[in-house]
């Protein structure tokens, strides 16, 4: 049955030559709707100014129809915004040599690296997480530093990365098999390390797997390129193909590549579904050589959609921001019409966020409450870290007393 669903000839499969408790904050979409309700009450000039802001790509939702939005998945992005400083600051400070601290005057200039709003004080963001960050004074100079408790959590995170390293390398091998030339710049993988669940020192650890990877230097620009050392046919099986064996009906309902037809062609709903099924299947495996497919054909569109689906299945939380997907545009052979292709497949994907910065979710990986069905150990650790971030020192003392039974 899988052969009828996925079309991949032997020649195409050959490798080408060389939820945590987040701080209470209103949803960005709900805030925009609340601001729009004030338009009739404002003077003309202020109304025009507010309209320009609401129509800006920074604010306008990527899904214009309110009925098609999923508030539970939209709330996941709001949670990421609330904890942006936590994850960026701990990653930046952990990369510094012990005692993992930086002068507060220098930290105030690193708003992008530390994830706090531009023009705000970094100390304001740090004091919101007193268990994890503190502001010690060293030689009369205030610093931003990690607390000893946070350092112990980072040690726990390193142990988790060590235990999961074989599975992470397997995911990177599959990602390289998705690319056209089986090679990706190491800088791109480092940029997407949080999405893929890779450790911060992945670029150094990859040298410990010489049988799977090669690191070469591009003579044109001097970039370090990660190449696939060997092709493994056992890994060239997509997540959809595995799911097809378990639940064929669900996979068949996931995608739909409809055929446009005129009204003069009398088709009822059942006949139209049969026609769409005939053009939708067989799908094209994302591990085929996409360069052999003719562009702007249904097979090429199936291939690109399948590549994005497989990439999301390799991510830590089965979702990614658009800039993470665009990072591999050249390697995956994606086109600028990819947004329209993804929007058609609303049974498989959900688009959340704004027009300027939106995310892509795998619908099947989340339940109706927006909770990930299968959680990686690193996801569980991040949720625990977020719970600690929401606690004050008094809350931590109370929890320790409760745990001791006093």
């Amino acid at each position: 049955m899988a052969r009828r669903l996925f079309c991949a000839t032997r020649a195409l499969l050959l490798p080408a030559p060389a939820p945590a408790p987040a701080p209470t904050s209103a949803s960005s979409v709900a805030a925009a709707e609340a601001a729009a309700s004030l338009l009739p009450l404002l003077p003309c000039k202020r109304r025009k100014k507010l309209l320009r802001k609401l129509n800006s790509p920074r604010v306008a939702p990527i899904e214009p129809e309110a009925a098609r939005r999923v508030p539970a998945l939209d709330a996941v992005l709001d949670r990421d915004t609330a904890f942006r400083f936590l994850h960026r600051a701990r990653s930046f400070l952990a990369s510094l040599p012990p005692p993992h601290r930086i002068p507060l005057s220098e930290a105030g200039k690193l708003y992008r690296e530390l994830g706090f709003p531009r023009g705000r004080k970094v100390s304001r963001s740090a004091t919101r997480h007193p268990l994890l960050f503190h502001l010690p004074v060293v030689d009369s100079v205030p610093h931003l530093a990690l607390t000893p408790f946070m350092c112990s959590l980072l040690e726990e995170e390193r142990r988790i990365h060590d235990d999961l390293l074989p599975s992470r390398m397997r995911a990177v091998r599959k990602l390289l098999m998705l690319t056209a030339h089986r090679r990706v710049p190491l800088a791109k993988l480092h940029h997407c390390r949080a999405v893929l669940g890779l450790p911060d020192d992945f670029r150094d650890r990859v040298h410990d797997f010489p049988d799977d990877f090669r690191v070469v230097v591009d003579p044109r620009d001097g970039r370090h390129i990660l190449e696939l050392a060997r092709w493994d046919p056992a890994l060239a099986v997509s997540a959809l193909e595995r799911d097809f064996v378990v639940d064929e009906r669900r996979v068949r309902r996931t995608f739909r590549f409809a055929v446009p037809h005129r009204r003069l062609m009398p088709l009822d709903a059942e006949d139209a579904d049969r026609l769409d099924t005939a053009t939708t299947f067989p799908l094209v495996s994302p591990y085929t050589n996409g360069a052999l497919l003719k562009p702007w054909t249904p097979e090429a569109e199936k291939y690109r959609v399948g590549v994005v689906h497989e990439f999301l299945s390799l991510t830590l939380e089965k979702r990614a921001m658009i800039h993470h997907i665009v990072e591999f545009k050249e390697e995956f052979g994606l086109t600028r019409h990819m947004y329209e292709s993804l929007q058609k497949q609303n049974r498989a994907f959900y688009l959340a966020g704004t027009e300027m910065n939106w995310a892509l979710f795998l619908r099947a990986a989340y339940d109706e409450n927006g909770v990930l069905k299968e959680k990686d150990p690193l996801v569980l650790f991040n949720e625990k870290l977020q719970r600690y971030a929401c606690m004050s020192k008094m809350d931590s003392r109370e929890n320790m007393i409760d745990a001791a039974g006093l």
Side-chain angles (χ1 to χ4, degrees):
M1 295 297 292
R3 292 181 180 177
R4 285 184 286 168
L5 183 67
F6 293 89
C7 176
T9 61
R10 184 178 180 183
L12 289 177
L13 279 173
L14 290 175
T24 56
S25 60
S27 171
S28 56
V29 177
E33 293 177 352
S37 63
L38 299 176
L39 288 175
L41 307 177
L42 299 177
C44 182
K45 290 185 178 180
R46 295 191 63 184
R47 189 186 309 138
K48 290 181 179 180
K49 185 177 180 180
L50 183 57
L51 271 175
R52 285 195 299 269
K53 289 185 177 181
L54 294 177
N55 294 330
S56 170
R58 294 179 178 271
V59 180
I62 189 66
E63 179 54 69
E65 299 182 18
R68 298 179 59 179
R69 296 176 192 153
V70 182
L73 296 182
D74 292 333
V76 175
L77 297 185
D78 295 328
R79 183 195 65 196
D80 289 349
T81 302
F83 291 112
R84 181 184 295 131
F85 173 80
L86 166 65
H87 294 294
R88 290 192 183 180
R90 60 116 178 195
S91 179
F92 180 84
L93 293 176
S95 64
L96 301 177
H100 305 293
R101 67 190 181 200
I102 182 175
L104 206 60
S105 58
E106 296 182 14
K109 304 174 184 178
L110 304 175
Y111 59 92
R112 287 193 182 93
E113 291 80 359
L114 298 178
F116 63 93
R118 183 178 183 179
R120 303 289 181 87
K121 292 184 177 180
V122 64
S123 58
R124 181 178 179 183
S125 299
T127 52
R128 293 176 179 173
H129 314 299
L131 288 181
L132 309 179
F133 302 98
H134 66 136
L135 305 173
V137 179
V138 180
D139 297 333
S140 303
V141 177
H143 285 67
L144 173 66
L146 301 176
T147 63
F149 178 65
M150 183 63 170
C151 293
S152 65
L153 292 176
L154 292 180
E155 290 295 331
E156 179 183 352
E157 184 184 25
R158 292 190 187 96
R159 291 192 294 268
I160 294 176
H161 278 299
D162 293 338
D163 296 338
L164 298 177
L165 189 60
S167 62
R168 294 292 187 261
M169 293 303 172
R170 180 177 178 271
V172 174
R173 289 174 61 192
K174 289 176 69 70
L175 190 147
L176 289 175
M177 293 169 65
L178 288 174
T179 60
H181 303 289
R182 320 306 176 203
R183 61 203 309 263
V184 170
L186 269 175
K188 293 187 177 183
L189 291 173
H190 181 74
H191 174 68
C192 301
R193 64 190 184 280
V195 178
L196 298 171
L198 302 177
D200 291 338
D201 58 348
F202 167 77
R203 289 178 290 187
D204 298 327
R205 294 194 179 194
V206 75
H207 295 282
D208 299 333
F209 298 84
D211 296 335
D212 299 326
F213 308 105
R214 287 191 302 265
V215 179
V216 298
V217 179
D218 194 333
R220 296 173 298 179
D221 51 17
R223 293 188 301 175
H224 287 76
I225 308 297
L226 184 66
E227 292 185 347
L228 185 68
R230 59 185 177 90
W231 178 274
D232 189 355
L235 295 180
V237 181
S238 65
L240 279 177
E241 291 176 285
R242 293 194 302 269
D243 294 343
F244 178 78
V245 178
V246 179
D247 192 351
E248 175 185 348
R249 294 185 60 186
R250 185 186 65 81
V251 175
R252 286 187 175 275
R253 292 194 303 265
T254 299
F255 293 99
R256 182 181 180 185
F257 294 88
V259 176
H261 56 272
R262 298 183 178 181
R263 296 181 180 178
L264 298 177
M265 187 177 180
L267 291 177
D268 56 13
E270 184 177 356
D271 292 337
D273 290 339
R274 289 180 179 177
L275 181 62
D276 294 341
T277 301
T279 56
T280 299
F281 302 102
L283 295 174
V284 179
S285 173
Y287 292 98
T288 60
N289 190 352
L292 301 180
L293 299 174
K294 294 182 179 180
W296 315 116
T297 59
E299 288 74 19
E301 184 179 2
K302 294 177 187 179
Y303 166 76
R304 290 190 292 267
V305 170
V307 166
V308 174
H309 187 281
E310 184 68 4
F311 173 75
L312 293 179
S313 69
L314 297 176
T315 58
L316 191 64
E317 298 186 38
K318 315 306 177 189
R319 61 185 176 95
M321 301 301 294
I322 181 57
H323 60 84
H324 292 131
I325 300 175
V326 173
E327 190 78 27
F328 302 98
K329 178 181 66 174
E330 298 177 358
E331 288 79 8
F332 291 160
L334 305 180
T335 65
R336 59 182 178 181
H337 300 285
M338 200 63 219
Y339 166 72
E340 288 80 4
S341 300
L342 296 175
Q343 201 173 31
K344 295 177 185 176
Q345 311 301 330
N346 54 2
R347 298 179 182 178
F349 307 110
Y350 176 69
L351 281 65
T354 63
E355 293 179 358
M356 179 171 288
N357 193 24
W358 49 277
L360 192 64
F361 288 77
L362 280 183
R363 284 182 178 267
Y366 290 82
D367 60 15
E368 62 276 4
N369 297 321
V371 178
L372 199 61
K373 294 179 180 178
E374 298 180 4
K375 295 184 179 181
D376 187 89
L378 194 58
V379 175
L380 297 176
F381 172 81
N382 289 333
E383 291 181 352
K384 181 175 71 172
L385 188 65
Q386 291 169 3
R387 287 194 294 270
Y388 284 129
C390 297
M391 298 171 64
S392 64
K393 292 184 178 180
M394 184 62 66
D395 295 333
S396 65
R397 293 194 188 99
E398 294 176 357
N399 289 339
M400 294 175 61
I401 293 175
D402 294 339
L406 300 177

